[in-house]
Amino acid sequence: MDLQIQQRVALVCGAGSGLGQAIALSLAQEGVRVAVTGRNPDKLAETVALIQQQGGTAQAWRLDLAEPQLFDQVLNAIRQHWGDIDILMNNSGGPPPASAQGTDAALWQQQFTLMVGSLIELTDKLLPAMRQRRWGRVITSTSSGVITPIAGLALSNALRMSLLGWSKTLASEVASEGVTVNIMVPGRIATDRVSQLDAIKARRENSSAEVVAEKSRQSIPVGRYGQPHEYGATAAFLASQQASYITGSVIRVDGGMIDAI
């Protein structure tokens, strides 16, 4: 299938590793010019090298979601290089484990700014040009905790949930202007972040990461963790012309893991 997004310009947040890197690679495979962004220049360079090795087009820009005062500088640099951004992949790192009670208010505020406020601000900066051109894609990666809360991850569960309400509302506001807005929900995808969470759970249960991972696999109908490229391929499809009638949706990439309808 031709996704009809060759030469589009995409900005992928957190593209130095994990799901962000997988999304950047998948978009590049479809001929998209990818602005690889994140905090770690070395990791960003690795992603750019992988894209170039497969014949794609990418360039790295350092963009820290904790520094929104620098957004304009980065966005202007991308525009000068390639023109306006057509596809925005919102993807922030996961917050530290925390309980719903007794977590310091300052940590709640800090993580809200990082995980929610910064993504909304970044999106607002790109939407006017998308609306003017009557074509744009805003895709936000969250967590399975927005559907079934994950024990010990109160910050992630609560703050990412707010992105669902924002995304659904925004989708209805810009749908008639050719801009789609969707949420992606990963299940157990084999990334460093999931390995870290397995290790944390193992310590909490006085077990091992291997035992925790095996129990997780047994709870997934397809019987395995997802591969990052499978998540990236889903993002690429949502960014495509073929997906122009999909907006305001929450797309699960979970191997059937999430029980809730």
Side-chain angles (χ1 to χ4, degrees):
M1 179 186 294
D2 180 5
L3 298 186
Q4 298 178 22
I5 49 177
Q6 296 92 341
Q7 298 303 305
R8 293 286 186 184
V9 178
L11 188 162
V12 181
C13 298
S17 62
L19 299 180
Q21 183 182 77
I23 291 165
L25 287 166
S26 292
L27 288 170
Q29 287 169 359
E30 297 300 325
V32 175
R33 294 172 288 175
V34 183
V36 174
T37 73
R39 295 178 298 176
N40 187 316
D42 292 336
K43 289 185 176 181
L44 297 179
E46 291 176 8
T47 301
V48 170
L50 288 171
I51 289 173
Q52 291 175 341
Q53 287 168 16
Q54 65 182 21
T57 302
Q59 183 159 323
W61 280 272
R62 185 183 180 279
L63 187 149
D64 189 340
L65 294 175
E67 300 175 346
Q69 69 275 12
L70 300 180
F71 285 180
D72 284 337
Q73 176 182 331
V74 176
L75 296 179
N76 287 336
I78 297 171
R79 292 187 185 107
Q80 289 174 10
H81 191 68
W82 282 324
D84 285 320
I85 294 162
D86 303 293
I87 300 162
L88 171 61
M89 186 68 223
N90 283 322
N91 175 47
S92 67
S99 62
Q101 57 181 334
T103 298
D104 188 83
L107 182 58
W108 278 103
Q109 184 61 52
Q110 177 199 52
Q111 291 299 316
F112 177 85
T113 299
L114 180 65
M115 297 173 58
V116 181
S118 62
L119 297 183
I120 293 174
E121 182 172 351
L122 183 61
T123 303
D124 280 346
K125 289 181 180 295
L126 298 182
L127 275 173
M130 292 181 182
R131 296 170 66 187
Q132 183 178 18
R133 296 193 309 279
R134 302 191 68 79
W135 202 99
R137 300 289 184 264
V138 178
I139 306 167
T140 302
S141 183
T142 58
S143 160
S144 63
V146 302
I147 299 174
T148 54
I150 303 169
L153 295 181
L155 287 167
S156 178
N157 297 336
L159 298 179
R160 293 191 196 278
M161 177 69 79
S162 65
L163 288 169
L164 269 67
W166 163 76
S167 182
K168 182 67 173 178
T169 306
L170 178 61
S172 66
E173 293 177 356
V174 299
S176 65
E177 298 171 298
V179 180
T180 66
V181 186
N182 291 293
I183 291 283
M184 289 183 66
V185 174
R188 307 295 288 175
I189 310 294
T191 62
D192 289 343
R193 168 70 172 173
V194 168
S195 296
Q196 291 166 5
L197 293 176
D198 283 349
I200 290 169
K201 185 176 182 180
R203 289 194 294 271
R204 187 170 65 243
E205 297 179 352
N206 195 27
S207 182
S208 69
E210 291 75 15
V211 169
V212 168
E214 179 56 30
K215 287 182 179 179
S216 291
R217 285 191 287 270
Q218 291 174 4
S219 71
I220 302 170
V222 301
R224 62 177 176 83
Y225 282 10
Q227 293 301 308
H229 72 85
E230 294 173 305
Y231 196 75
T234 304
F237 176 73
L238 288 175
S240 74
Q241 181 61 33
Q242 319 314 51
S244 60
Y245 204 61
I246 301 174
T247 195
S249 294
V250 178
I251 307 299
R252 306 178 190 188
V253 188
D254 70 341
M257 180 192 77
I258 300 172
D259 291 333
I261 294 174

